[in-house]
Amino acid sequence: MDIGLRIFVVSVLLVTVTAEVYIVTMEGDPIISYKGGENGFEATAVESDEKIDTSSELVTSYARHLERKHDMILGMLFEEESYKKLYSYKHLINGFAAHVSPEQAETLRRAPGVRSVDKDWKVRRLTTHTPEFLGLPTDVWPTGGGFDRAGEDIVIGFVDSGIYPHHPSFASHHRLPYGPLPHYKGKCEEDPHTKKSFCNRKIVGAQHFAEAAKAAGAFNPDIDYASPMDGDGHGSHTAAIAAGNNGIQLRMHGYEFGKASGMAPRARIAVYKALYRLFGGFVADVVAAIDQAVHDGVDILSLSVGPNSPPTTTKTTFLNPFDATLLGAVKAGVFVAQAAGNGGPFPKTLVSYSPWITTVAAAIDDRRYKNHLTLGNGKMLAGMGLSPPTRPHRLYTLVSANDVLLDSSVSKYNPSDCQRPEVFNKKLVEGNILLCGYSFNFVVGTASIKKVVATAKHLGAAGFVLVVENVSPGTKFDPVPSAIPGILITDVSKSMDLIDYYNASTSRDWTGRVKSFKAEGSIGDGLAPVLHKSAPQVALFSARGPNTKDFSFQDADLLKPDILAPGYLIWAAWCPNGTDEPNYLGEGFALISGTSMAAPHIAGIAALVKQKHPQWSPAAIKSALMTTSTVIDRAGRLLQAQQYSDTEAVTLVKATPFDYGSGHVNPSAALDPGLIFDAGYEDYLGFLCTTPGISAHEIRNYTNTPCNYDMKHPSNFNAPSIAVSHLVGTQTVTRRVTNVAEVEETYTITARMQPSIAIEVNPPAMTLRPGASRTFSVTMTVRSVSGVYSFGEVKLKGSRGHKVRIPVVALGHRR
């Protein structure tokens, strides 16, 4: 399959002819925001970022009250058998999901007490050497007591495709005993077949959410599992990246590929399955999973999921049931990491938009797997293949799949894909290297390299070569582990060299049948990785900014993505029945790519920051990660991004904040950032209320809050970045920083910008005591209108060594 992100284009199957799933929000505050006022029910809200005691009688009685109101409005409006309520949402938003007809949805929309009615929509998955690459074993884990304490007592919630609980990455035996977790109150479902719990001391919660999928007729319990069991692989992979155990031997086909570890190997895992192998998922199920996760007490949420398409009834990107629920999660003190999406390298392809979410782009780290094919004429053709070499100092005969068929009648099976050993003449293949074609079937997943390996092994081949003869933009090639020598030639010109050599060396009779195979070759060793100094780079598939504020794709005054983290060729746990990647069917580990893999890196690193600074808000953790990130690669050059050239070949260009946000994560620096740009619930409301085109009525529908917050311009939102999408003349934006170091420090403030926009900061320096906050301003003036964004940065350099940097992007317009 392609990258970690997979788009599930499946029409919604209806249980009845007209009924569909709708998400309804109601008047009245959810638990997290309720400050009292309803007769007989005391306030349940706490200060922003504080945890609510969800087991208290106050909370449970108000929750029952909300659910009764949901049931009451449905019961008053409709006959009992004409609808089905799927979920009551009580913690983060006040509302419910119901399976009703479009006419009933319209009745609900007009009913008193109803704020909004949204038709449910689909979501998709956004599919380890990296701990060493990020410096965790040497620079970060020791500060928290070593790897066996890294992430201690932090719970990371995963809204994904479930988990394979029997994997060693999630085992709790032979580990230091875990202590109690009084702040987490999640449930553990049992396996319906074995009656064993999905939890151990490492996995502390495991639940599944599929009511909307069932109502839509998309759920098949035999394939999708009506339990937290991962039927896909994706969920196990992301959980292991963030919080998998340290030092897990990574072995496949008899070869060692190192040891796997999560970013925070001591953190606990809470599983909220809402994604399924064939159809992805539905927002109603995902919202229920997030609502439950925050209710249960998770500290971090990792989301490798994003919408298939814009919700039909919402015009702004920031306001819909999904983003509104995540705003509630952040209000509850939960840090949210979400994959940026895999629509790159094209602009405005992000599927994560809101300021309360940390949006993660994907980087290529320093490890690459390369291989080569040496031809009998001395030419060496570069390719990729995680495989052993053919025997040294020996050339093997090359035979093309189409030339070694049993008979011509099998051509209907696409024999050049090498997926069926029974169509080939074993005597002609045995001991030789089999040449196969990499067709579109490999791109869409109906053919796999794993099956090529099985075919070659079954026929006794010495090895195989997969030849790419034409390539469409966006086709991505990853090395796949193989038990026998094998290579994928991805460069079309190199493939032509091979084909020309083969044809020139092969004699045929007048019918085209081969008389003698004379082409020869050998396959190199592809098992050892090559470490590159040009890392990190922005991966081709990683979604790009600018961010958009509505589904007319108007630019937002908010920079996205936020940060860059490893997301290319990431080794992590897999489940043996996982079908997300056909090349890893039946395996215990998989090497896959996607912003799906980048987001859990940030979730795990956020857990390490939270462990060191347990009182920090989600915005403070996000700020620490962003302001300490780097825009310099290992070779000391500015970051580069993969992009298409005019000829559609992949090339490297200078990267911008629309590719990487603030830069590539630097975990050790994030533990001690010096200053933070903090923000709370009122700041997020101020951003919404100040963004042009968002009505106060719409904001109230989703937040139950009037627009009493005004920051004059959305660019004044206290983000650790600055974005002005429509700069006319001169504009000044402000930022507030807080000293989180233990000592007083003086910071000098400087700024630079590309020439078409002038930039100034005020004051040029400021001194902050520990815990103190100060405001500074950044003034930008249009010098010339270029029609493209200008990029720059503001730096705050501390007298005690702290370095704080925020990116600036602005688009100048004429008056």
mmCIF file of all heavy atoms in Angstrom, residues 139 162 241 482 514 639-640 684:
data_model
loop_
_atom_site.group_PDB
_atom_site.id
_atom_site.type_symbol
_atom_site.label_atom_id
_atom_site.label_comp_id
_atom_site.label_asym_id
_atom_site.label_seq_id
_atom_site.Cartn_x
_atom_site.Cartn_y
_atom_site.Cartn_z
ATOM 1 N N ASP A 139 20.587 12.132 25.767
ATOM 2 C CA ASP A 139 20.328 13.490 26.229
ATOM 3 C C ASP A 139 19.027 13.659 27.014
ATOM 4 O O ASP A 139 18.890 14.622 27.763
ATOM 5 C CB ASP A 139 20.275 14.460 25.024
ATOM 6 C CG ASP A 139 21.559 14.446 24.219
ATOM 7 O OD1 ASP A 139 22.607 14.143 24.812
ATOM 8 O OD2 ASP A 139 21.507 14.711 23.008
ATOM 9 N N GLY A 162 -6.863 0.162 17.135
ATOM 10 C CA GLY A 162 -6.756 -0.832 18.188
ATOM 11 C C GLY A 162 -5.319 -1.206 18.474
ATOM 12 O O GLY A 162 -4.381 -0.485 18.121
ATOM 13 N N ILE A 241 5.449 3.373 18.533
ATOM 14 C CA ILE A 241 6.339 4.517 18.268
ATOM 15 C C ILE A 241 6.364 5.452 19.474
ATOM 16 O O ILE A 241 7.423 5.919 19.899
ATOM 17 C CB ILE A 241 5.887 5.288 17.009
ATOM 18 C CG1 ILE A 241 6.146 4.461 15.746
ATOM 19 C CG2 ILE A 241 6.611 6.636 16.901
ATOM 20 C CD1 ILE A 241 5.489 5.029 14.499
ATOM 21 N N SER A 482 13.083 -8.845 2.743
ATOM 22 C CA SER A 482 12.944 -10.070 1.946
ATOM 23 C C SER A 482 13.912 -11.118 2.472
ATOM 24 O O SER A 482 15.054 -10.804 2.820
ATOM 25 C CB SER A 482 13.242 -9.773 0.474
ATOM 26 O OG SER A 482 13.405 -10.967 -0.259
ATOM 27 N N VAL A 514 12.023 -17.536 -26.346
ATOM 28 C CA VAL A 514 13.467 -17.449 -26.053
ATOM 29 C C VAL A 514 14.159 -18.763 -26.420
ATOM 30 O O VAL A 514 13.695 -19.855 -26.066
ATOM 31 C CB VAL A 514 13.687 -17.123 -24.561
ATOM 32 C CG1 VAL A 514 15.173 -17.179 -24.213
ATOM 33 C CG2 VAL A 514 13.113 -15.752 -24.218
ATOM 34 N N LEU A 639 17.278 23.321 6.380
ATOM 35 C CA LEU A 639 16.472 22.145 6.029
ATOM 36 C C LEU A 639 16.026 22.187 4.576
ATOM 37 O O LEU A 639 15.718 23.252 4.036
ATOM 38 C CB LEU A 639 15.229 22.062 6.916
ATOM 39 C CG LEU A 639 15.427 21.707 8.387
ATOM 40 C CD1 LEU A 639 14.069 21.636 9.081
ATOM 41 C CD2 LEU A 639 16.154 20.385 8.552
ATOM 42 N N GLN A 640 15.966 21.005 3.968
ATOM 43 C CA GLN A 640 15.475 20.869 2.602
ATOM 44 C C GLN A 640 14.197 20.027 2.605
ATOM 45 O O GLN A 640 13.941 19.263 3.535
ATOM 46 C CB GLN A 640 16.535 20.200 1.716
ATOM 47 C CG GLN A 640 17.789 21.056 1.522
ATOM 48 C CD GLN A 640 18.800 20.351 0.645
ATOM 49 O OE1 GLN A 640 19.318 19.292 0.989
ATOM 50 N NE2 GLN A 640 19.068 20.917 -0.510
ATOM 51 N N TYR A 684 -8.084 30.681 22.853
ATOM 52 C CA TYR A 684 -8.595 29.985 21.667
ATOM 53 C C TYR A 684 -9.928 30.581 21.219
ATOM 54 O O TYR A 684 -10.175 30.760 20.015
ATOM 55 C CB TYR A 684 -8.754 28.491 21.962
ATOM 56 C CG TYR A 684 -7.456 27.798 22.320
ATOM 57 C CD1 TYR A 684 -7.318 27.101 23.518
ATOM 58 C CD2 TYR A 684 -6.351 27.857 21.472
ATOM 59 C CE1 TYR A 684 -6.123 26.477 23.853
ATOM 60 C CE2 TYR A 684 -5.155 27.235 21.802
ATOM 61 C CZ TYR A 684 -5.047 26.549 23.000
ATOM 62 O OH TYR A 684 -3.866 25.944 23.326
#
